[in-house]
Amino acid sequence: MASVGPSAASTQPALPSGPAVFKTIPYAFILPEILCGTWVWILVAATSVSLPLLQGWVMYVSLTSCLISLLLLLSYLLGFHRNSENWKVLDSLYHGTTAILYMSAAVLQANATINSETGPNAPFTYQLNSAASFFAFLTTFLYILHAFSIYYQ
């Protein structure tokens, strides 16, 4: 006889909505991702950009990721996902892809930091670039944590 038990669909954890987003581990990373990503593009924008191609990519990745993560957070807060499994796949793919893009931006920002050690206003520019590099790597780490935690959930 077949035993009566919970189906495979009911054993999957439900996607949070509303304030529960901030209490659930994979989704609680979204707000720190947004905040750290915002610090990246503010700090890069505050420097005198010596390498526009490198730091342009950093600005593009950080600003785009920040806006898309904000939209994703709002969709979770407002419950647009309706507990669909497709949202988990979308979330995992987005955060995995963004982690790769952010890693490339963090490495380019670190290169810009090394190149800003000399020149006019070198100490101030170097400090801003160092802080931007730190937050870029921290944001990369947060995106990696989010992608893996949603994948292994």
Side-chain angles (χ1 to χ4, degrees):
M1 299 228 60
S3 65
V4 177
S7 66
S10 66
T11 60
Q12 294 291 331
L15 293 172
S17 61
V21 170
F22 300 115
K23 298 175 185 173
T24 312
I25 272 300
Y27 309 102
F29 291 129
I30 295 176
L31 191 59
E33 291 164 1
I34 293 169
L35 294 176
C36 291
T38 303
W39 273 111
V40 171
W41 62 266
I42 287 172
L43 290 167
V44 171
T47 64
S48 57
V49 177
S50 58
L51 301 164
L53 188 60
L54 299 181
Q55 289 180 305
W57 176 250
V58 174
M59 287 290 288
Y60 172 75
V61 169
S62 61
L63 190 58
T64 305
S65 301
C66 183
L67 292 175
I68 293 174
S69 292
L70 185 63
L71 289 174
L72 192 62
L73 177 64
L74 288 174
S75 67
Y76 279 125
L77 286 174
L78 298 175
F80 289 148
H81 54 77
R82 296 191 181 104
N83 214 11
S84 171
E85 279 298 310
N86 294 334
W87 277 86
K88 282 188 176 182
V89 173
L90 172 78
D91 195 356
S92 181
L93 287 175
Y94 165 69
H95 282 89
T97 304
T98 306
I100 293 169
L101 294 176
Y102 237 109
M103 179 59 81
S104 69
V107 168
L108 291 176
Q109 180 58 38
N111 184 19
T113 302
I114 292 169
N115 291 333
S116 70
E117 287 180 323
T118 59
N121 297 329
F124 183 68
T125 304
Y126 181 75
Q127 290 171 355
L128 287 175
N129 281 328
S130 295
S133 296
F134 171 75
F135 280 108
F137 280 108
L138 180 64
T139 308
T140 303
F141 181 66
L142 288 170
Y143 276 106
I144 290 170
L145 280 177
H146 189 121
F148 277 117
S149 62
I150 197 81
Y151 179 75
Y152 286 116
Q153 187 180 38

